[in-house]
Amino acid sequence: MGLDVSHKRRKLNNDFTNDAGNDHYFSRKPKFERLSDVNGASAPLREKKSFPPRAAPLRSEDDPLDPDIFKLQADELLAEIKPQVESSLERARSSLSRVKDVIQHIPAHGPLPASKAEDLIREQAAIRIPFLKPRLDTEVKYQVQYVKPARIDIFETVATRTMLVQNNEPTIDMVLTMPSHIFQDKDFLNYRYFHKRAFYIASVAISLTKAFQNSVAINFAWQDGNVLQPIIVLSQLDGSHADRLDLCGYRLRIVTATPFEIFSLKKTLPWYNCLRPSKVLGINEELKPTPFYNCTIRAETSVHFYSNFIYQTSQRVAGFQDALILFAVWLRQRGFSSDASSGGFGVFESSLILAILLHKGGSKGLPALQASYSRHQLFKALISFIKTRDLQKFPLLLDCDLQTNNSRALLNAPMFLDGKRGLNVLFKMNIWSYQRLRHEASATWAQFNDASFDPFRDCFITKISDPILRYDYLLRLVIPASVFDSADILDSKGCIVDFLEKTYPILEKALGDRVRLINLAIQPRISWSLQETLPADDVVPFDVQLVANPETVNRAVDRGPPAENEKASHQFRQFWGEKAELRRFKDGSIVESTVWSTEGRGDSIIMQIIRHALSRHLGSELVDAIKVQDDRLEDLLPNKEITQYKGSQHRVGEIFRLLKQYVNELDGLPLHIRQLSLASAELRLGSEHQAAQGKKTSGANPTAVTLQFESSAKWPDDPDAIKRTKIALLLKLGELLEHKQSGVHTRLGLEDEMQQLPNTAFLDLTLSDHTFRLRIYHDRELTLLERQLTSVDSTSSIKEASAHTISLYKATYTNAPAHAEVIRSLCTSHPLLAPTILLLKRWFSRHLLLPHFDDEVIELIAASPFTQPLPYEAPASLRTGFLRIISRLARWNWRTEPLLINLIDTLTRADRDAIQTRLDAWRSIDPTMNRMVLIVGTPLDRGGTAWTERRPKRVVAARLIALAKATLSAAVSEGNNLNEKPLFATSLRGYDFLIHIDRRTESQSSVRERWTRDGSQLDHLAKTSFKWSVVDDYVRELERLFGNNVLFMHDGLERSILAGLWNPAAGARTIKSSPAYSTMPYELEEVGDGRCSRVTINKVALLHEMARLGGDIVSKIEILRPLVA
């Protein structure tokens, strides 16, 4: 069908009524032809009795006392995409009337032999008739002719009256009803109808070209990608013309229709054959059904009935039109349309199915849906029907019962058959496109059933049809030329679709449960000039797009049938050929199997399977041309071994268990040890440093360990005394360990020494060439800080310091261990999570963002596509996981929305509302976002501030989202030709200056050499395994001294460049007491009798101070922008 008619056929004016006695057509409402009350759920054709699943029941009415956020959002969306367009339609009507007048005054010509028709048309206007392939048989004596259309109707699509534009232009269809007397009873056979139709279309094109050749572009095109239905398309040309045909931005399609009774309904039902071969059939040969060909003919005869039927349904059911608009948005965001290359399921098909289900399709001949449903319920009911009813296994046959042997072959295709019109509404859909539709419907329904999830954005706003984001594996193949040379004349779908229908079952059987969805995509069929012949099928590429199952995609051995089952074993060997082998497994079973290679950097397992299966069954010519979208992101990881997704325990865990044993065996401590927990990134399998060193753990940063002693009255009740007690306990612990274990070296250190309240003592303990940093946690200390925060005697500065310390304590001693355990568990259950975390950190690093974010924030962001994958599935490739993270960041409005991430537990609706309220409160308290910029809420941190308090800064957050949008745009635009390396390249032109670091002076050995040359004794350095970074110390010092005036950006890993941005707020100001930085006069202004001087930062002096502070570390400072005050 594919006219994308929505619900209404409009009359332009009285002139559009036809002269052939059809004035009544627009003078009153179309007569409604009611479908007969027959049970639509006919029994499936199976020996074993089975029944299709039923859709979930819906309430018949909205509950006004229970407002649904989804309903409110959908209503707002409908208001936005339904603007008033009557003015543009009114202007277009005059142009449409002119087109109609031209068509009505085309003189009749013919009948003439079909063999001479092409020469006649070419002589008149050099137009080539879009005759189908195979061409006309000159031995067949039949004639073609043109006669004025019996009717001319205007059909407006849903997109005509909304903002739903899929092809850059809204479309209006002008339907020409061809008179029945120009056809013969048997013209439905062997393309005769379509050849006569092609001549009719060409005759119209001649007159339109003569009338409007300078004001509109006139081309041939396929109607919704159907190769049997060439149509005329008129589109607006730029420029002005005195006699310009103004289509007001619409695209006009000239399509055809015929009276319903023109051909025998029985002979054109889907299970009959209408394409008779010229050769003589053998004894055992049967004519195969031609369902696509037959349904195309039935679609041409049913245009007017379905238009009236949909219109009447829209008048009877109040929410019908709005439900269709919502469903049209849903389809568009998933790449579906009535075009066969886009799934073959669009607005027309959905409107027809919904209208039929409102009249019948239920049990005992009753309607499947109630007319009292609201628009939201109708939308959800249609989603539920698509998800629940598998029309491939359980075809829905209305007013029809299959009685022929050929009917079983139709079960391989989805069927929603209107028997009274003989049309399968889904005839343009292939098996893969139908499975993709059901796959998307299932994902949407899962969102509806998730109480903690807001489905609106991903249902209607997010575009999820981009293949680079949707599919885990992308392959491009080229159909061999031999396919077109040996094309079967009876294939009415075309050689391309026929070849894809042979490819799909091979891939489906070969990949099995390794994939959840297989989609085959071809480029849309383009329009062509009137003077050109039909586009030739030359080199035709097609894409194989796979949604993989991450649990089975890398399985090395596939088990087949047991050896005792000779028939199944024979079929297994026939399919796999030399790859099949008989194996005995540990459980004692002897079965057929296939083994795939897991070594080296060659093809992945899934690519090995595809190459072998296609080469064996379709020829090596197809396999040789495969172009794979490789997952080259693995090359950017610091340790490629982690991409094997094994998730094994690292050596640090073994050393830590040894440390726990040593500590638990100690005697002499005044308090017993309650718990020793690891809270560092090494446990989370997402540490950049750990991955960079592989199996070696020496050279890493110290691993954070939290030590908790038993509760006791021996603990003091004063914060300062508690800190000193911690120091004493750490000293005693280090002394005992060094005395008892010869391989243990300890060193006491201080942190946050410039602050009074935070914990200031730690113990670095080196064991087996790995260093742990022990901190003591005492819960009483947190209670004292909270009491100090709420005390009326505390000053504002003390309260602010207490609040900061409380936040630091919770992050260090409560959130960090819990976060580490959860991320570790997720990395074990999702093997791709660990490399995805590393890759995301590498992206942050390359764009100079890494030092401004805690590792925990990046890990939480990386976990989101695995823990809450909807509307997708959990990613099964590194590229998919990374790009989905970037896509989510690009859509994040961080100023008004928190980032909500489910982990092992999920956030409830109340949690989500509470976090949103907290963000609103922060924006009200701190509108300039000086303290709190981002809110990242998780089940472990329902406040959302554990890892984002005081950083990043607002400019860094804005840059993060801007870079995410740029990265996503580049990835989507490249598609299958994506080169991942430019996604990790950042531009330095936006910064004010660059500090270049001399990498030769950065190593620990060079620093030690310089210090020991000066006579310093650094024996303790030999006892510690971790490396410190001089550059890190340099950056920290720069931020401490100049952080109020300069924002420093660096990669955090290679540290070869420090980029700086001057703070625009640190401009001219009135001079006060001596500032902490160099200043210079800005301007003088009169204030009364005196003169008040204003100063600004001395950028040149500050740059000199930065260079002096860095010494040999700084090779040069490059100024990118003028140093203007």
mmCIF file of all heavy atoms in Angstrom, residues 180-204:
data_model
loop_
_atom_site.group_PDB
_atom_site.id
_atom_site.type_symbol
_atom_site.label_atom_id
_atom_site.label_comp_id
_atom_site.label_asym_id
_atom_site.label_seq_id
_atom_site.Cartn_x
_atom_site.Cartn_y
_atom_site.Cartn_z
ATOM 1 N N SER A 180 -11.579 1.211 -15.333
ATOM 2 C CA SER A 180 -11.496 -0.247 -15.377
ATOM 3 C C SER A 180 -11.522 -0.786 -16.796
ATOM 4 O O SER A 180 -11.000 -1.876 -17.058
ATOM 5 C CB SER A 180 -12.649 -0.854 -14.575
ATOM 6 O OG SER A 180 -13.899 -0.411 -15.088
ATOM 7 N N HIS A 181 -12.083 -0.020 -17.762
ATOM 8 C CA HIS A 181 -12.242 -0.589 -19.099
ATOM 9 C C HIS A 181 -10.935 -0.639 -19.881
ATOM 10 O O HIS A 181 -10.892 -1.212 -20.982
ATOM 11 C CB HIS A 181 -13.286 0.217 -19.894
ATOM 12 C CG HIS A 181 -12.863 1.627 -20.183
ATOM 13 N ND1 HIS A 181 -13.183 2.674 -19.338
ATOM 14 C CD2 HIS A 181 -12.173 2.158 -21.215
ATOM 15 C CE1 HIS A 181 -12.699 3.798 -19.847
ATOM 16 N NE2 HIS A 181 -12.081 3.496 -20.993
ATOM 17 N N ILE A 182 -9.855 -0.034 -19.360
ATOM 18 C CA ILE A 182 -8.576 -0.128 -20.080
ATOM 19 C C ILE A 182 -7.822 -1.406 -19.715
ATOM 20 O O ILE A 182 -6.742 -1.652 -20.236
ATOM 21 C CB ILE A 182 -7.703 1.100 -19.814
ATOM 22 C CG1 ILE A 182 -7.233 1.133 -18.351
ATOM 23 C CG2 ILE A 182 -8.431 2.389 -20.174
ATOM 24 C CD1 ILE A 182 -6.250 2.255 -18.068
ATOM 25 N N PHE A 183 -8.397 -2.213 -18.811
ATOM 26 C CA PHE A 183 -7.758 -3.452 -18.403
ATOM 27 C C PHE A 183 -8.636 -4.634 -18.795
ATOM 28 O O PHE A 183 -9.855 -4.501 -18.936
ATOM 29 C CB PHE A 183 -7.518 -3.474 -16.887
ATOM 30 C CG PHE A 183 -6.622 -2.386 -16.394
ATOM 31 C CD1 PHE A 183 -7.158 -1.244 -15.808
ATOM 32 C CD2 PHE A 183 -5.248 -2.485 -16.525
ATOM 33 C CE1 PHE A 183 -6.334 -0.235 -15.356
ATOM 34 C CE2 PHE A 183 -4.418 -1.478 -16.078
ATOM 35 C CZ PHE A 183 -4.965 -0.349 -15.500
ATOM 36 N N GLN A 184 -7.995 -5.766 -18.928
ATOM 37 C CA GLN A 184 -8.695 -7.007 -19.207
ATOM 38 C C GLN A 184 -8.680 -7.897 -17.972
ATOM 39 O O GLN A 184 -7.929 -7.681 -17.029
ATOM 40 C CB GLN A 184 -8.031 -7.739 -20.384
ATOM 41 C CG GLN A 184 -8.063 -6.947 -21.683
ATOM 42 C CD GLN A 184 -7.345 -7.668 -22.807
ATOM 43 O OE1 GLN A 184 -6.779 -8.746 -22.608
ATOM 44 N NE2 GLN A 184 -7.383 -7.080 -23.998
ATOM 45 N N ASP A 185 -9.494 -8.912 -17.975
ATOM 46 C CA ASP A 185 -9.684 -9.738 -16.790
ATOM 47 C C ASP A 185 -8.396 -10.413 -16.336
ATOM 48 O O ASP A 185 -8.175 -10.624 -15.144
ATOM 49 C CB ASP A 185 -10.754 -10.803 -17.057
ATOM 50 C CG ASP A 185 -12.134 -10.185 -17.227
ATOM 51 O OD1 ASP A 185 -12.303 -9.015 -16.793
ATOM 52 O OD2 ASP A 185 -13.031 -10.856 -17.785
ATOM 53 N N LYS A 186 -7.534 -10.770 -17.290
ATOM 54 C CA LYS A 186 -6.321 -11.517 -16.945
ATOM 55 C C LYS A 186 -5.072 -10.641 -16.940
ATOM 56 O O LYS A 186 -3.957 -11.153 -16.988
ATOM 57 C CB LYS A 186 -6.126 -12.683 -17.911
ATOM 58 C CG LYS A 186 -7.180 -13.777 -17.765
ATOM 59 C CD LYS A 186 -6.833 -15.005 -18.587
ATOM 60 C CE LYS A 186 -7.849 -16.118 -18.365
ATOM 61 N NZ LYS A 186 -7.492 -17.340 -19.136
ATOM 62 N N ASP A 187 -5.248 -9.350 -16.846
ATOM 63 C CA ASP A 187 -4.081 -8.468 -16.812
ATOM 64 C C ASP A 187 -3.317 -8.553 -15.498
ATOM 65 O O ASP A 187 -2.239 -7.976 -15.375
ATOM 66 C CB ASP A 187 -4.510 -7.018 -17.056
ATOM 67 C CG ASP A 187 -4.687 -6.720 -18.535
ATOM 68 O OD1 ASP A 187 -4.260 -7.557 -19.351
ATOM 69 O OD2 ASP A 187 -5.247 -5.653 -18.866
ATOM 70 N N PHE A 188 -3.853 -9.259 -14.534
ATOM 71 C CA PHE A 188 -3.093 -9.433 -13.291
ATOM 72 C C PHE A 188 -1.958 -10.430 -13.469
ATOM 73 O O PHE A 188 -1.105 -10.571 -12.590
ATOM 74 C CB PHE A 188 -4.021 -9.882 -12.146
ATOM 75 C CG PHE A 188 -4.662 -11.216 -12.360
ATOM 76 C CD1 PHE A 188 -4.022 -12.390 -11.977
ATOM 77 C CD2 PHE A 188 -5.923 -11.319 -12.949
ATOM 78 C CE1 PHE A 188 -4.615 -13.622 -12.169
ATOM 79 C CE2 PHE A 188 -6.519 -12.551 -13.144
ATOM 80 C CZ PHE A 188 -5.868 -13.709 -12.756
ATOM 81 N N LEU A 189 -1.920 -11.128 -14.586
ATOM 82 C CA LEU A 189 -0.887 -12.128 -14.823
ATOM 83 C C LEU A 189 0.346 -11.478 -15.458
ATOM 84 O O LEU A 189 0.248 -10.559 -16.269
ATOM 85 C CB LEU A 189 -1.414 -13.231 -15.737
ATOM 86 C CG LEU A 189 -2.560 -14.105 -15.187
ATOM 87 C CD1 LEU A 189 -3.064 -15.024 -16.280
ATOM 88 C CD2 LEU A 189 -2.099 -14.892 -13.977
ATOM 89 N N ASN A 190 1.517 -11.989 -15.087
ATOM 90 C CA ASN A 190 2.779 -11.719 -15.785
ATOM 91 C C ASN A 190 3.038 -10.240 -16.049
ATOM 92 O O ASN A 190 3.403 -9.838 -17.142
ATOM 93 C CB ASN A 190 2.824 -12.498 -17.094
ATOM 94 C CG ASN A 190 2.915 -13.986 -16.869
ATOM 95 O OD1 ASN A 190 3.117 -14.440 -15.739
ATOM 96 N ND2 ASN A 190 2.730 -14.768 -17.920
ATOM 97 N N TYR A 191 2.836 -9.403 -15.052
ATOM 98 C CA TYR A 191 3.190 -7.982 -15.104
ATOM 99 C C TYR A 191 2.354 -7.179 -16.090
ATOM 100 O O TYR A 191 2.689 -6.015 -16.349
ATOM 101 C CB TYR A 191 4.682 -7.785 -15.448
ATOM 102 C CG TYR A 191 5.638 -8.413 -14.473
ATOM 103 C CD1 TYR A 191 6.246 -9.630 -14.763
ATOM 104 C CD2 TYR A 191 5.952 -7.791 -13.273
ATOM 105 C CE1 TYR A 191 7.137 -10.217 -13.877
ATOM 106 C CE2 TYR A 191 6.840 -8.370 -12.387
ATOM 107 C CZ TYR A 191 7.432 -9.578 -12.695
ATOM 108 O OH TYR A 191 8.306 -10.155 -11.812
ATOM 109 N N ARG A 192 1.290 -7.716 -16.662
ATOM 110 C CA ARG A 192 0.546 -6.961 -17.668
ATOM 111 C C ARG A 192 -0.058 -5.697 -17.067
ATOM 112 O O ARG A 192 -0.016 -4.625 -17.682
ATOM 113 C CB ARG A 192 -0.552 -7.830 -18.267
ATOM 114 C CG ARG A 192 -0.052 -9.014 -19.083
ATOM 115 C CD ARG A 192 -1.224 -9.791 -19.672
ATOM 116 N NE ARG A 192 -0.786 -11.023 -20.310
ATOM 117 C CZ ARG A 192 -1.613 -11.901 -20.861
ATOM 118 N NH1 ARG A 192 -2.926 -11.677 -20.850
ATOM 119 N NH2 ARG A 192 -1.153 -13.007 -21.418
ATOM 120 N N TYR A 193 -0.634 -5.848 -15.879
ATOM 121 C CA TYR A 193 -1.213 -4.671 -15.238
ATOM 122 C C TYR A 193 -0.157 -3.595 -15.007
ATOM 123 O O TYR A 193 -0.390 -2.409 -15.258
ATOM 124 C CB TYR A 193 -1.855 -5.062 -13.903
ATOM 125 C CG TYR A 193 -2.208 -3.877 -13.042
ATOM 126 C CD1 TYR A 193 -3.348 -3.115 -13.293
ATOM 127 C CD2 TYR A 193 -1.388 -3.485 -11.982
ATOM 128 C CE1 TYR A 193 -3.671 -2.022 -12.515
ATOM 129 C CE2 TYR A 193 -1.700 -2.393 -11.203
ATOM 130 C CZ TYR A 193 -2.838 -1.657 -11.464
ATOM 131 O OH TYR A 193 -3.150 -0.563 -10.704
ATOM 132 N N PHE A 194 1.007 -3.981 -14.575
ATOM 133 C CA PHE A 194 2.044 -3.001 -14.239
ATOM 134 C C PHE A 194 2.652 -2.371 -15.490
ATOM 135 O O PHE A 194 3.085 -1.221 -15.459
ATOM 136 C CB PHE A 194 3.118 -3.664 -13.374
ATOM 137 C CG PHE A 194 2.607 -4.099 -12.034
ATOM 138 C CD1 PHE A 194 2.376 -5.445 -11.763
ATOM 139 C CD2 PHE A 194 2.310 -3.170 -11.044
ATOM 140 C CE1 PHE A 194 1.884 -5.852 -10.534
ATOM 141 C CE2 PHE A 194 1.822 -3.574 -9.812
ATOM 142 C CZ PHE A 194 1.606 -4.916 -9.554
ATOM 143 N N HIS A 195 2.689 -3.103 -16.589
ATOM 144 C CA HIS A 195 3.145 -2.497 -17.840
ATOM 145 C C HIS A 195 2.140 -1.460 -18.332
ATOM 146 O O HIS A 195 2.522 -0.369 -18.791
ATOM 147 C CB HIS A 195 3.369 -3.575 -18.903
ATOM 148 C CG HIS A 195 4.588 -4.420 -18.646
ATOM 149 N ND1 HIS A 195 5.801 -3.877 -18.351
ATOM 150 C CD2 HIS A 195 4.762 -5.776 -18.666
ATOM 151 C CE1 HIS A 195 6.698 -4.852 -18.176
ATOM 152 N NE2 HIS A 195 6.083 -6.015 -18.368
ATOM 153 N N LYS A 196 0.856 -1.776 -18.260
ATOM 154 C CA LYS A 196 -0.152 -0.799 -18.649
ATOM 155 C C LYS A 196 -0.140 0.400 -17.708
ATOM 156 O O LYS A 196 -0.334 1.543 -18.137
ATOM 157 C CB LYS A 196 -1.532 -1.464 -18.646
ATOM 158 C CG LYS A 196 -1.723 -2.491 -19.759
ATOM 159 C CD LYS A 196 -3.155 -2.999 -19.810
ATOM 160 C CE LYS A 196 -3.344 -3.950 -20.998
ATOM 161 N NZ LYS A 196 -4.745 -4.412 -21.137
ATOM 162 N N ARG A 197 0.088 0.135 -16.445
ATOM 163 C CA ARG A 197 0.183 1.217 -15.473
ATOM 164 C C ARG A 197 1.376 2.114 -15.774
ATOM 165 O O ARG A 197 1.300 3.344 -15.652
ATOM 166 C CB ARG A 197 0.308 0.610 -14.067
ATOM 167 C CG ARG A 197 0.429 1.606 -12.942
ATOM 168 C CD ARG A 197 0.719 0.886 -11.627
ATOM 169 N NE ARG A 197 0.828 1.798 -10.514
ATOM 170 C CZ ARG A 197 1.922 2.500 -10.215
ATOM 171 N NH1 ARG A 197 3.003 2.375 -10.976
ATOM 172 N NH2 ARG A 197 1.924 3.324 -9.168
ATOM 173 N N ALA A 198 2.508 1.526 -16.159
ATOM 174 C CA ALA A 198 3.700 2.316 -16.481
ATOM 175 C C ALA A 198 3.432 3.244 -17.665
ATOM 176 O O ALA A 198 3.864 4.406 -17.674
ATOM 177 C CB ALA A 198 4.880 1.388 -16.769
ATOM 178 N N PHE A 199 2.730 2.750 -18.684
ATOM 179 C CA PHE A 199 2.383 3.602 -19.820
ATOM 180 C C PHE A 199 1.462 4.744 -19.384
ATOM 181 O O PHE A 199 1.597 5.882 -19.845
ATOM 182 C CB PHE A 199 1.709 2.766 -20.919
ATOM 183 C CG PHE A 199 1.258 3.569 -22.094
ATOM 184 C CD1 PHE A 199 2.156 3.958 -23.083
ATOM 185 C CD2 PHE A 199 -0.070 3.972 -22.221
ATOM 186 C CE1 PHE A 199 1.739 4.709 -24.177
ATOM 187 C CE2 PHE A 199 -0.497 4.720 -23.299
ATOM 188 C CZ PHE A 199 0.417 5.094 -24.281
ATOM 189 N N TYR A 200 0.520 4.439 -18.505
ATOM 190 C CA TYR A 200 -0.418 5.459 -18.009
ATOM 191 C C TYR A 200 0.346 6.558 -17.261
ATOM 192 O O TYR A 200 0.109 7.760 -17.454
ATOM 193 C CB TYR A 200 -1.438 4.787 -17.086
ATOM 194 C CG TYR A 200 -2.694 5.591 -16.859
ATOM 195 C CD1 TYR A 200 -3.805 5.422 -17.665
ATOM 196 C CD2 TYR A 200 -2.767 6.525 -15.826
ATOM 197 C CE1 TYR A 200 -4.965 6.142 -17.457
ATOM 198 C CE2 TYR A 200 -3.911 7.260 -15.609
ATOM 199 C CZ TYR A 200 -5.012 7.067 -16.429
ATOM 200 O OH TYR A 200 -6.156 7.809 -16.230
ATOM 201 N N ILE A 201 1.297 6.163 -16.401
ATOM 202 C CA ILE A 201 2.097 7.128 -15.640
ATOM 203 C C ILE A 201 2.947 7.975 -16.579
ATOM 204 O O ILE A 201 3.062 9.197 -16.409
ATOM 205 C CB ILE A 201 2.984 6.369 -14.624
ATOM 206 C CG1 ILE A 201 2.152 5.879 -13.443
ATOM 207 C CG2 ILE A 201 4.111 7.243 -14.130
ATOM 208 C CD1 ILE A 201 1.670 6.977 -12.527
ATOM 209 N N ALA A 202 3.543 7.353 -17.594
ATOM 210 C CA ALA A 202 4.377 8.102 -18.533
ATOM 211 C C ALA A 202 3.553 9.119 -19.310
ATOM 212 O O ALA A 202 4.023 10.225 -19.603
ATOM 213 C CB ALA A 202 5.083 7.136 -19.473
ATOM 214 N N SER A 203 2.322 8.774 -19.660
ATOM 215 C CA SER A 203 1.460 9.711 -20.381
ATOM 216 C C SER A 203 1.163 10.946 -19.530
ATOM 217 O O SER A 203 1.137 12.077 -20.019
ATOM 218 C CB SER A 203 0.150 9.016 -20.779
ATOM 219 O OG SER A 203 0.404 7.883 -21.600
ATOM 220 N N VAL A 204 0.943 10.744 -18.244
ATOM 221 C CA VAL A 204 0.724 11.877 -17.348
ATOM 222 C C VAL A 204 1.998 12.710 -17.219
ATOM 223 O O VAL A 204 1.951 13.954 -17.194
ATOM 224 C CB VAL A 204 0.249 11.371 -15.974
ATOM 225 C CG1 VAL A 204 0.131 12.526 -14.981
ATOM 226 C CG2 VAL A 204 -1.074 10.635 -16.087
#
